[in-house]
mmCIF file of all heavy atoms in Angstrom:
data_model
loop_
_atom_site.group_PDB
_atom_site.id
_atom_site.type_symbol
_atom_site.label_atom_id
_atom_site.label_comp_id
_atom_site.label_asym_id
_atom_site.label_seq_id
_atom_site.Cartn_x
_atom_site.Cartn_y
_atom_site.Cartn_z
ATOM 1 N N VAL C 1 86.044 45.532 22.772
ATOM 2 C CA VAL C 1 85.727 46.964 22.563
ATOM 3 C C VAL C 1 85.352 47.643 23.810
ATOM 4 O O VAL C 1 85.697 48.815 24.118
ATOM 5 C CB VAL C 1 84.686 47.089 21.494
ATOM 6 C CG1 VAL C 1 84.124 48.514 21.395
ATOM 7 C CG2 VAL C 1 85.126 46.550 20.126
ATOM 8 N N ALA C 2 84.620 46.965 24.662
ATOM 9 C CA ALA C 2 84.115 47.522 25.927
ATOM 10 C C ALA C 2 85.083 47.395 27.014
ATOM 11 O O ALA C 2 84.752 47.846 28.193
ATOM 12 C CB ALA C 2 82.771 46.815 26.289
ATOM 13 N N ALA C 3 86.244 46.824 26.827
ATOM 14 C CA ALA C 3 87.250 46.599 27.860
ATOM 15 C C ALA C 3 86.698 45.787 29.033
ATOM 16 O O ALA C 3 86.976 46.056 30.227
ATOM 17 C CB ALA C 3 87.845 47.905 28.376
ATOM 18 N N SER C 4 85.848 44.809 28.689
ATOM 19 C CA SER C 4 85.211 43.976 29.662
ATOM 20 C C SER C 4 86.214 42.962 30.313
ATOM 21 O O SER C 4 87.070 42.388 29.572
ATOM 22 C CB SER C 4 84.045 43.232 29.045
ATOM 23 O OG SER C 4 83.610 42.133 29.869
ATOM 24 N N THR C 5 86.097 42.712 31.544
ATOM 25 C CA THR C 5 86.953 41.777 32.205
ATOM 26 C C THR C 5 86.578 40.333 31.775
ATOM 27 O O THR C 5 87.343 39.372 32.043
ATOM 28 C CB THR C 5 86.817 41.847 33.738
ATOM 29 O OG1 THR C 5 85.439 41.790 34.114
ATOM 30 C CG2 THR C 5 87.325 43.191 34.283
ATOM 31 N N ASP C 6 85.411 40.164 31.129
ATOM 32 C CA ASP C 6 85.019 38.891 30.665
ATOM 33 C C ASP C 6 85.525 38.528 29.274
ATOM 34 O O ASP C 6 85.244 37.447 28.732
ATOM 35 C CB ASP C 6 83.467 38.711 30.681
ATOM 36 C CG ASP C 6 82.914 38.777 32.105
ATOM 37 O OD1 ASP C 6 83.603 38.270 32.993
ATOM 38 O OD2 ASP C 6 81.783 39.293 32.290
ATOM 39 N N GLU C 7 86.231 39.554 28.602
ATOM 40 C CA GLU C 7 86.793 39.206 27.325
ATOM 41 C C GLU C 7 87.727 38.046 27.425
ATOM 42 O O GLU C 7 88.550 38.005 28.405
ATOM 43 C CB GLU C 7 87.510 40.511 26.816
ATOM 44 C CG GLU C 7 87.867 40.473 25.360
ATOM 45 C CD GLU C 7 89.260 39.865 25.131
ATOM 46 O OE1 GLU C 7 90.072 39.844 26.093
ATOM 47 O OE2 GLU C 7 89.494 39.407 24.012
ATOM 48 N N PRO C 8 87.744 37.108 26.479
ATOM 49 C CA PRO C 8 88.400 35.820 26.720
ATOM 50 C C PRO C 8 89.917 35.804 26.741
ATOM 51 O O PRO C 8 90.515 34.816 27.178
ATOM 52 C CB PRO C 8 87.834 34.929 25.577
ATOM 53 C CG PRO C 8 87.503 35.914 24.471
ATOM 54 C CD PRO C 8 87.047 37.141 25.161
ATOM 55 N N ILE C 9 90.566 36.757 26.204
ATOM 56 C CA ILE C 9 92.069 36.699 26.144
ATOM 57 C C ILE C 9 92.711 37.739 26.984
ATOM 58 O O ILE C 9 93.506 37.485 27.829
ATOM 59 C CB ILE C 9 92.545 36.682 24.681
ATOM 60 C CG1 ILE C 9 94.021 36.216 24.608
ATOM 61 C CG2 ILE C 9 92.315 38.046 23.954
ATOM 62 C CD1 ILE C 9 94.178 34.784 24.893
ATOM 63 N N ALA C 10 92.364 39.039 26.692
ATOM 64 C CA ALA C 10 93.115 40.127 27.453
ATOM 65 C C ALA C 10 92.414 40.524 28.726
ATOM 66 O O ALA C 10 92.927 41.240 29.553
ATOM 67 C CB ALA C 10 93.246 41.374 26.523
ATOM 68 N N GLY C 11 91.150 40.153 28.833
ATOM 69 C CA GLY C 11 90.429 40.367 30.087
ATOM 70 C C GLY C 11 90.229 41.905 30.351
ATOM 71 O O GLY C 11 90.256 42.357 31.496
ATOM 72 N N GLY C 12 90.063 42.654 29.235
ATOM 73 C CA GLY C 12 89.867 44.157 29.411
ATOM 74 C C GLY C 12 91.081 44.990 29.288
ATOM 75 O O GLY C 12 91.035 46.146 29.533
ATOM 76 N N ARG C 13 92.258 44.361 29.063
ATOM 77 C CA ARG C 13 93.465 45.132 29.006
ATOM 78 C C ARG C 13 93.754 45.761 27.696
ATOM 79 O O ARG C 13 94.497 46.724 27.558
ATOM 80 C CB ARG C 13 94.671 44.246 29.447
ATOM 81 C CG ARG C 13 94.622 43.907 30.863
ATOM 82 C CD ARG C 13 95.529 42.808 31.337
ATOM 83 N NE ARG C 13 95.379 42.475 32.726
ATOM 84 C CZ ARG C 13 94.434 41.682 33.208
ATOM 85 N NH1 ARG C 13 93.619 41.098 32.326
ATOM 86 N NH2 ARG C 13 94.301 41.440 34.452
ATOM 87 N N HIS C 14 93.188 45.146 26.639
ATOM 88 C CA HIS C 14 93.378 45.758 25.289
ATOM 89 C C HIS C 14 92.394 45.095 24.366
ATOM 90 O O HIS C 14 91.876 43.978 24.726
ATOM 91 C CB HIS C 14 94.796 45.429 24.827
ATOM 92 C CG HIS C 14 95.259 46.253 23.636
ATOM 93 N ND1 HIS C 14 94.808 47.497 23.345
ATOM 94 C CD2 HIS C 14 95.996 45.891 22.578
ATOM 95 C CE1 HIS C 14 95.280 47.961 22.241
ATOM 96 N NE2 HIS C 14 96.088 47.015 21.680
ATOM 97 N N LYS C 15 92.110 45.631 23.253
ATOM 98 C CA LYS C 15 91.263 44.983 22.202
ATOM 99 C C LYS C 15 92.184 44.282 21.254
ATOM 100 O O LYS C 15 92.914 44.884 20.463
ATOM 101 C CB LYS C 15 90.458 46.039 21.490
ATOM 102 C CG LYS C 15 89.808 45.569 20.178
ATOM 103 C CD LYS C 15 88.823 44.432 20.419
ATOM 104 C CE LYS C 15 88.218 43.981 19.096
ATOM 105 N NZ LYS C 15 89.226 43.167 18.282
ATOM 106 N N VAL C 16 92.202 42.982 21.365
ATOM 107 C CA VAL C 16 93.061 42.191 20.474
ATOM 108 C C VAL C 16 92.273 40.964 19.948
ATOM 109 O O VAL C 16 91.256 40.538 20.549
ATOM 110 C CB VAL C 16 94.318 41.596 21.235
ATOM 111 C CG1 VAL C 16 95.268 42.743 21.604
ATOM 112 C CG2 VAL C 16 93.905 40.833 22.474
ATOM 113 N N PHE C 17 92.685 40.425 18.824
ATOM 114 C CA PHE C 17 92.139 39.171 18.340
ATOM 115 C C PHE C 17 92.953 38.102 18.907
ATOM 116 O O PHE C 17 94.141 37.953 18.499
ATOM 117 C CB PHE C 17 92.100 39.127 16.838
ATOM 118 C CG PHE C 17 91.082 40.020 16.171
ATOM 119 C CD1 PHE C 17 91.474 41.089 15.462
ATOM 120 C CD2 PHE C 17 89.750 39.766 16.366
ATOM 121 C CE1 PHE C 17 90.479 41.948 14.816
ATOM 122 C CE2 PHE C 17 88.774 40.602 15.790
ATOM 123 C CZ PHE C 17 89.119 41.638 15.037
ATOM 124 N N GLY C 18 92.447 37.392 19.853
ATOM 125 C CA GLY C 18 93.117 36.294 20.535
ATOM 126 C C GLY C 18 92.237 35.362 21.230
ATOM 127 O O GLY C 18 91.172 35.782 21.747
ATOM 128 N N ASN C 19 92.524 34.115 21.188
ATOM 129 C CA ASN C 19 91.736 33.120 21.969
ATOM 130 C C ASN C 19 92.558 31.783 21.970
ATOM 131 O O ASN C 19 92.794 31.213 20.943
ATOM 132 C CB ASN C 19 90.364 32.892 21.205
ATOM 133 C CG ASN C 19 89.443 32.102 22.058
ATOM 134 O OD1 ASN C 19 89.849 31.006 22.614
ATOM 135 N ND2 ASN C 19 88.243 32.669 22.261
ATOM 136 N N ALA C 20 92.910 31.380 23.159
ATOM 137 C CA ALA C 20 93.735 30.195 23.318
ATOM 138 C C ALA C 20 93.023 28.939 22.751
ATOM 139 O O ALA C 20 93.691 28.022 22.194
ATOM 140 C CB ALA C 20 94.157 29.983 24.786
ATOM 141 N N ASP C 21 91.750 28.861 22.934
ATOM 142 C CA ASP C 21 90.991 27.732 22.444
ATOM 143 C C ASP C 21 91.019 27.671 20.889
ATOM 144 O O ASP C 21 90.871 26.564 20.289
ATOM 145 C CB ASP C 21 89.472 27.788 22.895
ATOM 146 C CG ASP C 21 89.369 27.657 24.398
ATOM 147 O OD1 ASP C 21 90.294 27.139 25.038
ATOM 148 O OD2 ASP C 21 88.348 28.129 24.987
ATOM 149 N N LEU C 22 91.152 28.806 20.257
ATOM 150 C CA LEU C 22 91.152 28.887 18.821
ATOM 151 C C LEU C 22 92.517 28.916 18.231
ATOM 152 O O LEU C 22 92.713 29.192 17.006
ATOM 153 C CB LEU C 22 90.353 30.077 18.386
ATOM 154 C CG LEU C 22 88.888 30.190 18.879
ATOM 155 C CD1 LEU C 22 88.240 31.489 18.444
ATOM 156 C CD2 LEU C 22 88.087 29.003 18.392
ATOM 157 N N ALA C 23 93.550 28.826 19.074
ATOM 158 C CA ALA C 23 94.957 28.900 18.659
ATOM 159 C C ALA C 23 95.243 30.264 17.986
ATOM 160 O O ALA C 23 96.109 30.342 17.088
ATOM 161 C CB ALA C 23 95.366 27.772 17.719
ATOM 162 N N ILE C 24 94.592 31.315 18.430
ATOM 163 C CA ILE C 24 94.897 32.666 17.950
ATOM 164 C C ILE C 24 95.654 33.394 19.037
ATOM 165 O O ILE C 24 95.198 33.662 20.165
ATOM 166 C CB ILE C 24 93.571 33.405 17.628
ATOM 167 C CG1 ILE C 24 92.776 32.697 16.555
ATOM 168 C CG2 ILE C 24 93.922 34.818 17.200
ATOM 169 C CD1 ILE C 24 91.444 33.285 16.192
#
């Protein structure tokens, strides 16, 4: 939501539900 570079999948490029560790 905050477009943070620490977001685990898109790194601030978009708000998505995704996480490679979770197979999402």
Side-chain angles (χ1 to χ4, degrees):
V1 171
S4 166
T5 56
D6 293 327
E7 192 271 339
I9 193 72
R13 290 168 184 82
H14 194 34
K15 164 63 182 73
V16 292
F17 287 114
N19 192 310
D21 295 337
L22 304 176
I24 299 177

